[in-house]
Amino acid sequence: MRRTGRRLVLLTTAAAALACNGPGEGEPVRVRVPRGAPFAAVAESLAVHDVIARPRLFSIYARLVDKAGRIKPGTYAFRPQSGWKTVLDELVAGRVLTERIVIPEGFNVGDVAPRIAAVSGAPTDSVLALLVDSATAAAFEVPGPTLEGYLYPATYTIPVDAPVRDVIKTLVDTYRAVWTVERRALAEQRGMTEREVVTLAAIVEKEARQAAEMPTIAAVYHNRLRIGMPLQADPTVQYALGVHRERLLYASIDSVADHPYNTYTRRGLPPGPIGNPSVRAIDAVLNPADVGFLYFVARPDGSHVFTRTLAEHNRAKAQIQRERRQSRR
């Protein structure tokens, strides 16, 4: 009889709670539900934030409606004194708070780390340490040597306070989706590994101010590689320097002469990517223009003059320098 009466009380409580489906009042408050947290602890946290009252009864109600074990971790926003059913529906559906994170084309790991830190709540230094760790690259099964080049540039919607590795996985999974069967076949036809394609694409991404020129810029570098000419790519020296300089002087190039990413002093591709290239840059490397150019020089508007010989290149440089002086006057 006692057990029957107790059950009746619980069922009456549950019925009353079912009817309580209000959105609450006042400004929303944030409540974080840790992964693997006991439901009783979640209920207490909700009560501390005044989202619900009577956390023990709320826990009983959640078990009665078979939702206590189905809630999703994450950071939520609830108004104080929300209805029990409303709160549980949100928790089970996993309607967590999200933030948008934008990774522009060509960003390197030093640029990406603060953005991952901002959405995850982790210190930037610890995020960067993960991104440049070869063990992390191995764990995410990318060609390496680090995660540089494999954090695909795009706009993402990420849960607030998401674990750093979950955010990294989202970026890496998007990168992997780029590598279709067709693109892998093209890389094989060119005799290039995935790392080599991404490494060259990152250079093309940095050099090209206009996307339409990417296949031609890629062709220049392919031509240099074919004849054993150094790439002489300024962005790789900037990467070695660790800081971008508007004008790259010979003294700066000489200061990192022994650096593995100095493509003026070392032939062939550098050890890995210098940034995270877009699919357009990857496609440019896989499908370069059919041209014989070996040189290019930038115009003031960001476009380039492409030439076949050093003499033509020097004349183009001189002409552009004259145009710049006239423009300044």
Side-chain angles (χ1 to χ4, degrees):
M1 182 70 179
R2 182 178 298 174
R3 181 178 296 175
T4 303
R6 184 182 177 193
R7 186 174 182 183
L8 183 61
V9 170
L10 292 176
L11 289 173
T12 302
T13 302
L18 279 168
C20 186
N21 194 28
E25 300 176 352
E27 291 297 318
V29 293
R30 289 192 176 194
V31 179
R32 186 169 181 272
V33 177
R35 191 180 300 275
F39 189 85
V42 175
E44 286 293 339
S45 180
L46 290 166
V48 166
H49 289 86
D50 199 29
V51 174
I52 63 163
R54 308 176 75 181
R56 291 185 63 188
L57 283 179
F58 176 70
S59 296
I60 294 170
Y61 164 63
R63 290 197 298 273
L64 285 172
V65 296
D66 192 29
K67 291 185 177 180
R70 295 160 53 198
I71 64 172
K72 310 289 193 306
T75 300
Y76 295 80
F78 296 111
R79 296 183 185 279
Q81 300 177 28
S82 295
W84 287 5
K85 184 176 185 303
T86 300
V87 172
L88 273 178
D89 287 348
E90 294 289 302
L91 292 172
V92 171
R95 297 190 186 97
V96 298
L97 290 173
T98 59
E99 287 187 13
R100 195 174 72 156
I101 175 174
V102 180
I103 309 297
E105 293 90 345
F107 259 34
N108 62 36
V109 289
D111 303 316
V112 175
R115 303 201 175 197
I116 294 178
V119 73
S120 66
T124 298
D125 289 349
S126 66
V127 174
L128 183 57
L130 269 178
L131 299 184
V132 299
D133 188 351
S134 59
T136 310
F140 282 96
E141 299 180 341
V142 295
T146 68
L147 283 173
E148 187 78 272
Y150 313 104
L151 305 169
Y152 191 76
T155 299
Y156 299 89
T157 300
I158 304 292
V160 170
D161 297 330
V164 172
R165 288 182 181 271
D166 287 2
V167 182
I168 293 173
K169 183 178 184 301
T170 298
L171 274 60
V172 172
D173 285 350
T174 306
Y175 160 79
R176 283 205 191 95
V178 167
W179 278 96
T180 60
V181 173
E182 293 77 13
R183 290 193 176 98
R184 292 196 180 280
L186 284 170
E188 187 174 351
Q189 289 171 20
R190 293 206 157 270
M192 299 181 75
T193 65
E194 181 181 338
R195 185 199 287 196
E196 289 171 339
V197 171
V198 178
T199 297
L200 185 51
I203 297 172
V204 171
E205 187 76 64
K206 291 285 191 179
E207 290 280 20
R209 296 287 184 87
Q210 299 179 7
E213 290 188 344
M214 283 185 175
T216 309
I217 293 173
V220 169
Y221 287 127
H222 274 299
N223 293 340
R224 290 181 179 181
L225 288 169
R226 188 180 64 254
I227 65 175
M229 176 181 174
L231 292 182
Q232 297 181 335
D234 288 0
T236 64
V237 178
Q238 302 274 19
Y239 191 77
L241 290 167
V243 60
H244 179 77
R245 295 179 182 176
E246 289 301 322
R247 292 187 62 200
L248 191 61
L249 304 176
Y250 287 116
S252 298
I253 297 173
D254 290 342
S255 71
V256 288
D258 296 329
H259 197 284
Y261 282 80
N262 189 330
T263 56
Y264 277 83
T265 57
R266 293 172 180 256
R267 297 179 189 275
L269 289 167
I274 60 170
N276 296 286
S278 65
V279 68
R280 293 179 304 184
I282 290 172
D283 282 343
V285 170
L286 295 174
N287 300 278
D290 185 12
V291 293
F293 299 132
L294 283 174
Y295 302 92
F296 59 91
V297 60
R299 296 187 180 98
D301 65 357
S303 64
H304 293 86
V305 177
F306 296 91
T307 51
R308 288 175 172 80
T309 68
L310 182 58
E312 292 174 345
H313 176 62
N314 288 334
R315 285 196 294 271
K317 283 173 61 178
Q319 177 61 32
I320 288 172
Q321 287 170 357
R322 285 193 294 270
E323 290 175 1
R324 283 179 174 158
R325 284 195 295 269
Q326 290 170 2
S327 177
R328 284 196 293 268
R329 293 196 190 103

